Each structure stands twice: as C-alpha cells, then as structure tokens.
Amino acid sequence: MQTIRVIPQDQCSSILTGILIGLKSNNTADLLEISIKAFQDSLLYLQDLFDEKKIIEYAIESLLQLCKFEDDGIKALTMICLNEFIRIKYLKIAFYIVPIFNVLSSHLLSTDNEIAMQAVEIWTTVANEELTRKKQSVKTFIQIENSKPDIFEFY
C-alpha cells in the first residue's frame, strides 16, 4: 500500500528547482532520465508553479536542449515529457511553439522511428489543442502569436 503525502507549499519550489537543475544537458544520461521523469511527474502536482514565466522559459529551454541530446533514448523521453507539458500548459507554452517547431522539425524525418513518432505526436497535440480551442472560442496560438509581447527567443 502506498502512502500519499501532501508536500508543503514552501517545499514545492525547492523540489521543482532541484528537478529543473537535473535537466541540464551536461548531466549524465542516468541523471537526465531521472530528472525528465521527475519533471513529467511534477507537471500535475506542482502545476501552479508552472504559471511563472521564468520557470516556463527555463523548462522549455532545458527540454529543447535535451531534444537535441546525442542519446536517442534521452531525446525520445524528453519529447514525451515535452508533449505532456504542452498538453497540460498549452496556453502558457503557446508563446514558445515557434522555437519548439524550430528544434523539432528535423526530428520529423528522423531515421529513429521513436524520435519521428514523438515529433509527430507533439504536433498532433498542438493541432488538437488549436482545434479544441477554436471550437470553444478560446484563444488559439495564432491569436496569442499576434498579440505576444517581445519575448526571449531561444533558437
């Protein structure tokens, strides 16, 4: 039987900081794998922290760096995590769709089926979010893109 404990709010920020530090591309593949899985697991539990612009920017930048990592296993795992991040926090991430596309466009033609499949999955998620938002008359990427402020471009 598993025990579920509630993490005190003041510790959530420290936990997320540790996870984000683990996403640095100069870490070992083992640490990266653990950090990517921890990040993905934290998306729902630490959701409020992902509303902060600096956290989203750091997370997106780190994930995009790992999407270019030499180890295809890390690359695929990162893309799965990025897809989940996009699905959960689409409105906050919509500003970064262009940099995400710039990094992932080459993966669509990858000879590694897992990498190519994850790239297609990410764009399917983006397309589904756009269609759902359009049907619900909620802001879409195109509307957000047209009204975006000048932001830091990663790539």
Side-chain angles (χ1 to χ4, degrees), residues 39-85:
F39 180 83
Q40 189 171 357
D41 289 343
S42 74
L43 287 173
L44 290 175
Y45 298 107
L46 303 176
Q47 203 172 118
D48 293 343
L49 293 175
F50 288 107
D51 288 338
E52 294 180 33
K53 184 180 177 190
K54 64 183 179 183
I55 291 175
I56 289 174
E57 283 182 357
Y58 186 89
I60 291 290
E61 184 176 11
S62 297
L63 292 172
L64 291 179
Q65 285 293 331
L66 293 177
C67 283
K68 299 186 288 185
F69 200 70
E70 66 273 356
D71 181 305
D72 284 343
I74 294 297
K75 197 181 298 179
L77 189 60
T78 301
M79 292 170 73
I80 291 167
C81 181
L82 180 60
N83 190 41
E84 186 71 8
F85 195 26

Side-chain angles (χ1 to χ4, degrees), residues 101-136:
F101 177 79
N102 291 341
V103 171
L104 297 182
S105 59
S106 65
H107 295 330
L108 292 168
L109 302 173
S110 176
T111 56
D112 183 313
N113 289 339
E114 180 69 16
I115 300 297
M117 183 178 72
Q118 291 308 322
V120 169
E121 188 68 31
I122 287 170
W123 297 122
T124 301
T125 297
V126 170
N128 285 336
E129 285 293 327
E130 285 293 302
L131 288 173
T132 300
R133 290 179 184 292
K134 207 172 215 177
K135 287 177 187 175
Q136 296 172 345

Side-chain angles (χ1 to χ4, degrees), residues 1-6 41 45:
M1 183 159 104
Q2 283 187 320
T3 303
I4 299 176
R5 295 186 341 177
V6 176
D41 289 343
Y45 298 107

